[in-house]
Amino acid sequence: MTSKTNDAIEVRNAVKRYGDFTALKRVSLTISDNEFFTLLGPSGCGKTTLLRMIAGFEDVTEGGIFLFGEEIEGLPPHKRPINTVFQNYALFPHMTVLDNVGFGLEMLGKSKSEARKRAGEVLEMVQLSQFSARKPSQLSGGQQQRVALARALAPRPKVLLLDEPLSALDLKLRKAMQIELKHLQKETGITFIFVTHDQEEALTMSDRVAVMSAGEVQQLGDARDIYERPRNMFVADFIGETNLLEVTVDRIEAGRAACHLGGGHRLTCDAVDGIGAGAKVHMSLRPERLFLSSAPTESESLKARVRENIFIGTDISTILDLDDGPEFRVRASNSSRGTSRVFEPGTEVFVNMEQGAARLLVD
Amino acid sequence: MAKGKYDLRVYPGFRAITLLCLVILYSPLIVVMAYSFNASPSITNWEGLSLRWYADVFTGPESAKFKAAARNSFVIALIAATVATAIATLSATAILRGGKFRLRTVSFGLISLPLMVPEIVTAVATLIFFNAIGFDRGLLTILLAHITFCIPFAYLPISARMQGIEATYEQAAMDLYATKRQAFTRVLLPLMAPGIVSGFILAFIVSLDDFIITNFVKGAGVETLPTAIFGAVKQGIKPNIMAISTMLLGVSVVMVTLSWLISRKDRKT
Amino acid sequence: MAGGAATGGSSTSDTYAEARTWLLLPAWVTLGILVLAPVAIMLVYSFLTKEFRGGVIWEFSLGAYDQFFCNRGLFGDEPCSIEWTYIQIFWRSIWQAGAATLLSLAIGFPTAYFIATRPPRQRTLWVFLVTIPYWVNLLIRTVSMKFLLRDEGPLNDFLTGTGLLSEPLAIVNTNFAVQLGLFYSYLPFMVLPIYAAVERYNFALSEAASDLYAPRWTVLRRILLPSVKPGIIAGCILVFVPSLGSFLAPDLLGGARNFMIGSLIEEQFKGNAGNWPFGAAASMILLTMVLIILLIFARQQAKAEG
């Protein structure tokens, strides 16, 4: 490829400290060329700091950042072939849409007419050609968002950074933009690094996701990996809805771990490296992988009583009290197959697990 | 590769210019303050520290003139600032709590008019006005003119404060059976207090400082401190003038600091 | 009463709507009688005949304006040719006020910017430091400036004493001294609006420009300055307008050769050389100029907002 390596961005042992506060604790990750990569985490987890370090707005306290194998730490933002789509777009209010989009090219030394020509092409790509003479304030939020995207893409950066660009849009528009962004990334072949706190957004769009918390990467993998095989409590809790149960591992046999929880309920699930017999750990049970029945369907069905059913549109969520155990949630899709598994409050039922519903978590 | 923060907000040289700016602003004042303590009757030579020129202001040959001027200045400033603050408070209530009405913009424009008309023009117009209606010039004409130009200075902090007070406070008071008058005096006015104090202080200083308008509308023989100082300076800058200036400067600085502390303390709570 | 409370949720309320006429009456009366009426009477006076030793004769005359604009020769009997004396004084005033405005901008913009980019808690202290001198009596400030700058003053003592200069620098009674005095008079008016604009400025715009390959000073020129332009224009107007009609700085620091409008007007009302109608006419011309400037400014602000 272009130079020594195929990794678009390598973050090597990057630490960021503000005085006594450590925003980023020795983060290392590599992002491949042509990848849609997402940094996912709650606010304050360090994801935006990391993004701003890649863009050049924050310096790195320790460690380095490499773009196609070349260190870029120390280069000011205007010398990095990396562009950013800002959270609130940061469109220049005194310039027209066309001049906004052409700004980067102009700064790269292109003539005004050349910059405008390319800007026009990019605006066409995001279907905003008819608005090129307007000022940003005359556009809707969704249109501004596209202009910001076009402006960042126009100089053909090697890497595009997106800092929660969809957070200001309403739900419907956000969903449409998610798909459009994904297509745009495939079309242009530019590496996208996307920052968001919305796990659904991250799972929808990304090739790979890095889940961050407290200045560290908690887990890195593709969407399925992260959702179905969360490594620790934070990831299991942050991604999707889940039941977290305290369990004790009784024994491990043939890659399966037999556990019990309060009230004498027994459960078996896949063993996980680093968790041996006798360990007291948490177990994640995805509510949509559980179903209710009036009679036990297998030896490990948990006996419980229905407390309340909550209608949430696509699904029906049932809150149960486990006999001598914690509260519990089960989700059934709002379909004839799903609703046949919904019981009136007060009914005694059995909770059954689909394959892979339970997962043991380190700490 | 060179490390170090590339801070977009920092422009080289701006800090130096800011410091230069402060030097230009403060050095004349500091020099005059320093020379007011000079023992020498000459303003050029330094002969050691002394308070003789302060003593001269209070007991010297010109002391009677300065005392009268100081009394005029402070009495006028006190009355003008009080009246202007009252007028400004009522006007702010009407403009910010009186709903939308046709004369709202016009009223605001009228209140800020003394800020927009050049001072010398106001001075000329006021002089001509008193002359035309045959009103004898003296302390009263000075006072009337001062009340007028103090109104916008009192109005600005008061209206800024009132804008920050949500109307729901008074509405809550009225919901709890207060009449409008009670809602005004028991809720709005106490909440407004810091703004009213700032407004009063600014109006007081502006009145104390005024030279041009006073110089036009004062009658013969009536002096305020600025006109007395101006008259004396025309004969040359003397050490006793520097002593008076230093005292007057001290009053202004203390009052502005007071106003600043009030607004700052208020912002914290 | 309880149920009658206004339910409006806007930033301003109509709680005291029925009392507003009474609340505004004191301001209307005071400002109407002491600002509007005097300006109207001043306009009338500018069309009256002058009386020697000050005052006017109630007789219509265009004499004041004629004197301002027309040169009718030594004996006043020639046809009107343009009189340059007063136009020159006005022109000099405009020029001096303009130079003072530029000086204020050159120093005030970096200062305002520097203050606005301090940590929020330090900002009010910096603003306070810059505004304190403004609240010191203008006369005292101007006198202090003169004291510092005069030929035998501390500044020249310092410059010659340290050997930086062999001869004292003659600053007092120059144009520059007047500009410096005007700068000193009105600097906060430049700093405060620019400070407010920079404080509101969204620095993500600077970051975006930098991200799009603009170097530091290009960011300043292309993004920051256009964004805070309304603050800069407001600052320039607020310095220019009072400078135009100022009296103390030119009178004390400028000397006779640097006569400005303020001194010209003042002279008409002092002593026996006075000419009230002419002073009123000159004031009217100054006021008209200022109002035109403010009107253009207000138009532009309205356009920028709309």
Side-chain angles (χ1 to χ4, degrees):
Chain A
M1 291 285 308
T2 40
S3 70
K4 302 157 205 163
T5 156
N6 202 18
D7 295 330
I9 290 284
E10 185 192 350
V11 178
R12 199 182 288 167
N13 294 322
V15 176
K16 177 69 189 178
R17 274 191 288 269
Y18 299 99
D20 293 339
F21 173 69
T22 306
L24 224 52
K25 300 170 188 159
R26 211 158 290 286
V27 167
S28 290
L29 48 85
T30 53
I31 298 163
S32 318
D33 194 16
N34 200 3
E35 186 174 22
F36 198 123
F37 190 90
T38 297
L39 298 168
L40 171 66
S43 60
C45 72
K47 57 188 193 301
T48 297
T49 304
L50 182 57
L51 195 79
R52 290 173 60 80
M53 280 166 35
I54 296 170
F57 301 129
E58 306 277 354
D59 59 341
V60 180
T61 313
E62 279 172 42
I65 293 175
F66 300 83
L67 176 71
F68 289 103
E70 283 176 46
E71 173 150 31
I72 52 171
E73 173 55 12
L75 285 182
H78 63 89
K79 296 204 169 136
R80 301 184 185 200
I82 297 173
N83 291 146
T84 307
V85 179
F86 289 81
Q87 186 166 12
N88 293 313
Y89 318 138
L91 297 175
F92 307 131
H94 57 290
M95 295 185 191
T96 62
V97 166
L98 192 67
D99 287 344
N100 260 283
V101 177
F103 186 85
L105 295 152
E106 217 185 304
M107 290 298 121
L108 286 172
K110 298 272 186 297
S111 71
K112 195 132 191 164
S113 61
E114 242 178 301
R116 287 204 162 151
K117 187 163 161 285
R118 164 78 181 149
E121 289 167 16
V122 185
L123 279 173
E124 196 138 335
M125 193 164 75
V126 296
Q127 293 134 38
L128 279 179
S129 304
Q130 69 271 38
F131 297 120
S132 55
R134 291 210 190 164
K135 291 280 173 69
S137 58
Q138 296 167 302
L139 301 182
S140 72
Q143 290 164 338
Q144 291 183 12
Q145 211 284 329
R146 284 157 194 265
V147 175
L149 194 63
R151 187 178 70 173
L153 283 171
R156 296 192 178 88
K158 290 186 173 160
V159 174
L160 187 75
L161 309 178
L162 302 102
D163 185 5
E164 307 220 11
L166 307 181
S167 60
L169 303 181
D170 64 53
L171 183 67
K172 229 173 175 173
L173 203 53
R174 196 156 69 223
K175 298 256 183 215
M177 278 308 294
Q178 285 170 3
I179 296 174
E180 203 173 316
L181 273 179
K182 182 81 189 158
H183 290 165
L184 211 55
Q185 192 266 326
K186 290 290 166 246
E187 250 171 67
T188 55
I190 293 172
T191 307
F192 278 29
I193 305 180
F194 190 89
V195 159
T196 182
H197 63 266
D198 180 338
Q199 38 110 1
E200 197 185 324
E201 195 166 281
L203 300 183
T204 312
M205 300 162 70
S206 319
D207 295 324
R208 285 194 305 154
V209 177
V211 183
M212 293 185 67
S213 163
E216 286 175 303
V217 175
Q218 303 292 334
Q219 187 168 359
L220 200 159
D222 63 32
R224 259 215 129 73
D225 238 11
I226 284 182
Y227 188 81
E228 294 185 349
R229 287 176 288 281
R231 206 171 63 82
N232 60 25
M233 251 197 36
F234 176 82
V235 178
D237 196 24
F238 187 72
I239 309 285
E241 194 188 2
T242 196
N243 295 293
L244 287 171
L245 303 177
E246 281 178 46
V247 299
T248 309
V249 182
D250 297 322
R251 59 187 186 283
I252 300 205
E253 260 178 32
R256 298 282 287 172
C259 319
H260 73 269
L261 60 152
H265 301 283
R266 300 196 169 277
L267 286 168
T268 308
C269 65
D270 286 341
V272 170
D273 285 349
I275 299 176
K280 283 187 189 301
V281 290
H282 279 91
M283 176 185 273
S284 157
L285 288 168
R286 293 285 183 203
E288 77 280 8
R289 293 286 184 91
L290 306 173
F291 58 94
L292 304 177
S293 58
S294 47
T297 62
E298 50 189 288
S299 60
E300 290 192 334
S301 297
L302 306 170
K303 203 167 146 212
R305 186 180 293 275
V306 175
R307 192 200 297 170
E308 193 179 359
N309 287 311
I310 297 163
F311 177 72
I312 41 177
T314 56
D315 289 356
I316 293 169
S317 175
T318 305
I319 303 173
L320 306 130
D321 291 307
L322 222 50
D323 277 4
D324 298 322
E327 173 192 311
F328 214 78
R329 275 172 191 263
V330 171
R331 257 182 195 235
S333 72
N334 187 12
S335 63
S336 52
R337 197 177 83 97
T339 45
S340 69
R341 290 169 172 176
V342 174
F343 295 85
E344 287 302 304
T347 319
E348 269 204 358
V349 293
F350 290 88
V351 182
N352 311 284
M353 276 173 274
E354 288 177 4
Q355 182 67 31
R359 173 116 185 131
L360 289 176
L361 308 168
V362 288
D363 52 58
Chain B
M1 180 148 287
K3 294 220 175 187
K5 193 158 159 68
Y6 179 84
D7 193 340
L8 260 174
R9 294 170 178 236
V10 175
Y11 282 92
F14 279 21
R15 175 191 295 270
I17 292 174
T18 306
L19 296 178
L20 172 74
C21 177
L22 290 180
V23 168
I24 299 176
L25 289 181
Y26 282 91
S27 55
L29 301 179
I30 290 169
V31 163
V32 161
M33 277 163 71
Y35 272 82
S36 73
F37 295 104
N38 188 0
S40 163
S42 141
I43 55 165
T44 315
N45 302 323
W46 179 261
E47 285 181 11
L49 278 174
S50 154
L51 286 174
R52 66 179 281 203
W53 300 114
Y54 288 87
D56 182 84
V57 169
F58 289 103
T59 58
E62 292 177 303
S63 64
K65 188 177 95 187
F66 286 134
K67 271 181 199 160
R71 201 184 51 236
N72 288 343
S73 269
F74 279 93
V75 168
I76 287 167
L78 197 67
I79 301 174
T82 308
V83 176
T85 306
I87 292 175
T89 306
L90 298 180
S91 308
T93 309
I95 287 174
L96 294 173
R97 293 289 200 264
K100 285 187 166 60
F101 54 103
R102 247 182 325 131
L103 288 175
R104 197 164 169 254
T105 320
V106 176
S107 299
F108 178 71
L110 188 63
I111 287 167
S112 30
L113 202 57
L115 292 179
M116 293 189 284
V117 176
E119 249 195 308
I120 189 110
V121 174
T122 309
V124 167
T126 315
L127 167 68
I128 289 178
F129 172 72
F130 286 131
N131 178 272
I133 62 170
F135 203 99
D136 278 341
R137 281 181 274 161
L139 278 179
L140 190 60
T141 50
I142 303 179
L143 179 64
L144 288 172
H146 279 220
I147 289 172
T148 309
F149 68 71
C150 282
I151 291 174
F153 284 93
Y155 181 84
L156 292 177
I158 291 173
S159 77
R161 173 77 193 172
M162 198 181 285
Q163 266 164 345
I165 299 172
E166 282 180 47
T168 45
Y169 289 115
E170 296 137 74
Q171 285 160 11
M174 289 188 285
D175 186 57
L176 295 166
Y177 316 110
T179 62
K180 285 193 178 184
R181 191 181 289 271
Q182 285 170 321
F184 181 76
T185 53
R186 299 282 297 274
V187 176
L188 186 58
L189 220 47
L191 284 170
M192 293 283 303
I196 293 175
V197 173
S198 292
F200 174 85
I201 291 178
L202 293 192
F204 187 89
I205 298 173
V206 167
S207 164
L208 206 57
D209 281 5
D210 178 72
F211 165 73
I212 296 173
I213 293 171
T214 312
N215 192 38
F216 271 75
V217 300
K218 78 187 177 72
V222 179
E223 301 283 352
T224 63
L225 274 179
T227 61
I229 293 172
F230 185 78
V233 165
K234 280 285 165 185
Q235 324 293 323
I237 306 173
K238 297 210 185 67
N240 60 345
I241 293 301
M242 287 191 268
I244 294 184
S245 299
T246 303
M247 288 187 282
L248 199 52
L249 184 159
V251 171
S252 299
V253 171
V254 167
M255 295 201 73
V256 172
T257 310
L258 215 63
S259 150
W260 184 67
L261 289 176
I262 289 168
S263 66
R264 202 181 59 147
K265 181 167 161 255
D266 184 57
R267 219 171 300 141
K268 275 183 191 160
T269 51
Chain C
M1 191 66 239
T7 49
S10 59
S11 56
T12 58
S13 81
D14 53 7
T15 312
Y16 302 105
E18 70 266 38
R20 65 192 173 210
T21 308
W22 295 107
L23 291 169
L24 279 171
L25 200 60
W28 282 340
V29 168
T30 315
L31 295 164
I33 292 180
L34 289 162
V35 179
L36 291 183
V39 169
I41 293 176
M42 181 174 77
L43 179 64
V44 173
Y45 263 47
S46 72
F47 290 105
L48 295 181
T49 308
K50 85 165 178 179
E51 188 180 46
F52 291 100
R53 297 162 167 271
V56 285
I57 298 165
W58 282 84
E59 199 173 284
F60 177 81
S61 159
L62 283 172
Y65 292 96
D66 190 80
Q67 182 186 346
F68 193 97
F69 291 110
C70 281
N71 178 358
R72 296 189 187 272
L74 199 55
F75 302 103
D77 52 1
E78 292 168 32
C80 177
S81 62
I82 294 180
E83 167 67 66
W84 290 106
T85 315
Y86 305 114
I87 295 172
Q88 257 172 10
I89 291 174
F90 268 64
W91 176 243
R92 185 188 301 129
S93 300
I94 292 171
W95 199 88
Q96 289 282 59
T101 305
L102 285 182
L103 184 66
S104 301
L105 181 62
I107 294 185
F109 179 81
T111 303
Y113 181 90
F114 179 77
I115 294 173
T117 52
R118 291 305 87 205
R121 249 182 287 167
Q122 287 178 27
R123 286 180 206 158
T124 49
L125 183 66
W126 279 97
V127 169
F128 182 58
L129 276 178
V130 170
T131 42
I132 276 189
Y134 173 74
W135 295 109
V136 171
N137 197 311
L138 178 60
L139 172 62
I140 293 180
R141 272 186 288 155
T142 313
V143 170
S144 303
M145 189 62 117
K146 182 174 186 171
F147 181 77
L148 179 72
L149 297 179
R150 82 210 136 87
D151 293 359
E152 320 84 50
L155 181 68
N156 274 315
D157 275 359
F158 174 78
L159 291 175
T160 50
T162 52
L164 283 169
L165 291 175
S166 52
E167 289 284 304
L169 208 58
I171 304 172
V172 172
N173 295 345
T174 64
N175 281 336
F176 179 66
V178 177
Q179 289 153 22
L180 208 58
L182 293 174
F183 161 85
Y184 197 21
S185 304
Y186 306 116
L187 179 76
F189 292 152
M190 182 65 84
V191 172
L192 292 178
I194 297 179
Y195 163 76
V198 176
E199 205 187 25
R200 273 199 310 271
Y201 172 69
N202 176 9
F203 273 94
L205 296 182
S206 287
E207 286 184 347
S210 178
D211 190 68
L212 294 163
Y213 315 108
R216 198 191 292 277
W217 293 98
T218 309
V219 174
L220 179 84
R221 192 164 47 80
R222 293 286 302 270
I223 309 297
L224 179 66
L225 284 182
S227 298
V228 301
K229 198 169 82 184
I232 293 176
I233 293 175
C236 289
I237 300 256
L238 287 175
V239 172
F240 184 80
V241 164
S243 294
L244 202 56
S246 68
F247 168 72
L248 283 173
D251 189 73
L252 290 170
L253 291 164
R257 281 192 306 124
N258 300 289
F259 213 65
M260 281 172 59
I261 305 175
S263 309
L264 174 70
I265 293 174
E266 202 257 1
E267 220 175 41
Q268 309 309 319
F269 296 92
K270 289 284 148 190
N272 294 338
N275 181 342
W276 285 35
F278 182 70
S283 297
M284 279 314 299
I285 294 167
L286 173 61
L287 182 62
T288 310
M289 273 166 56
V290 166
L291 291 182
I292 288 172
I293 294 170
L294 291 178
L295 210 67
I296 293 171
F297 173 61
R299 277 269 175 84
Q300 282 207 327
Q301 294 287 90
K303 216 197 294 173
E305 276 164 28

